Amino acid sequence: MIESKADLKRYLEQDRIALYKTRKKPRIAGDEIWQYEILLRKTEYYLNCKKSFFGKAVGIWLHYRLRKKGRKLCGFHIPPNAFEEGLSIAHWGPIVVHPSAKIGKNCRIHQCVTIGATNGRNEAAHIGDNCFIGPCTSIIGDIKIGNDIAIGANSVVTKSFEDNGITIAGNPAKKISDNNSHSNLAKALHLD
């Protein structure tokens, strides 16, 4: 969670690296996902750190812009403080994340992913560090996913996988190999 200006700078830099960007700033056109992630991090900073009336007002305004941009431009519904540093949204397309979900550092997430709650409950998944979430994956319920896990495309994950460094896939998801997620993440993140 971003709790200082230094945290904000670190999160922005790790997100840039995770997105495989070599430039320091996004282009006006063509880097919309990166722009969205920057807006997400600035929203988190203002909501978490700025407690004055003006700071809270800016945080609310940024949160409004984030929701509007997410829905209109990219199809994302990602609440503030769900993802730790190193977020990499791979492609445009709908991504829905429940507000109580917590995802660790260096997560690469693809389009058409849902991380949600079930049966009217308010608890959602807790996903570890260095995870890869393939396209069209559903991660549903109050479950735990370990570190360094790759989740294959079209998977439906409804139970916990707390072993680290494995690949899971299928409907329902099951362990399919002992390969970790590192080959799917940016090498510059220094995961080892």
Side-chain angles (χ1 to χ4, degrees):
M1 183 180 333
I2 296 174
E3 296 178 341
S4 68
K5 188 78 164 182
D7 287 347
L8 173 63
K9 289 180 181 179
R10 188 181 73 249
Y11 273 58
L12 291 172
E13 178 62 11
Q14 289 300 106
D15 289 354
R16 181 189 68 77
I17 292 168
L19 286 167
Y20 299 92
K21 300 296 182 183
T22 55
R23 293 178 307 284
K24 292 295 179 186
K25 294 185 179 185
R27 296 174 298 202
I28 293 172
D31 282 334
E32 288 81 3
I33 292 173
W34 190 10
Q35 292 170 4
Y36 175 85
E37 287 191 29
I38 290 169
L39 182 58
L40 173 67
R41 298 314 188 180
K42 287 182 178 179
T43 300
E44 291 171 350
Y45 172 71
Y46 273 91
L47 291 176
N48 297 342
C49 300
K50 300 298 184 178
K51 302 301 180 189
S52 68
F53 174 78
F54 178 73
K56 288 180 183 179
V58 171
I60 291 168
W61 176 71
L62 287 172
H63 195 223
Y64 168 77
R65 284 187 54 216
L66 179 72
R67 291 174 58 131
K68 185 175 178 183
K69 184 172 188 139
R71 287 185 179 135
K72 181 179 179 185
L73 182 62
C74 305
F76 304 151
H77 178 72
I78 300 174
N81 300 313
F83 287 87
E84 291 291 328
E85 63 192 74
L87 171 61
S88 175
I89 299 172
H91 302 286
W92 291 49
I95 296 173
V96 178
V97 178
H98 192 274
S100 67
K102 296 296 176 200
I103 298 94
K105 297 176 183 177
N106 307 321
C107 176
R108 183 156 175 89
I109 187 169
H110 281 260
Q111 72 278 7
C112 300
V113 170
T114 299
I115 302 172
T118 186
N119 296 332
R121 299 182 66 192
N122 199 32
E123 294 84 20
H126 287 94
I127 301 172
D129 295 341
N130 309 322
C131 288
F132 171 84
I133 303 172
C136 303
T137 295
S138 295
I139 303 170
I140 306 296
D142 184 16
I143 61 175
K144 296 192 181 344
I145 307 292
N147 296 321
D148 306 307
I149 289 184
I151 303 172
N154 297 313
S155 297
V156 178
V157 185
T158 58
K159 67 177 187 175
S160 293
F161 289 89
E162 297 188 52
D163 293 340
N164 295 325
I166 62 172
T167 298
I168 61 175
N171 180 4
K174 61 184 177 184
K175 177 181 171 183
I176 61 168
S177 80
D178 288 322
N179 295 330
N180 65 30
S181 61
H182 294 194
S183 65
N184 299 305
L185 305 175
K187 303 293 183 247
L189 291 171
H190 304 294
L191 305 174
D192 296 324

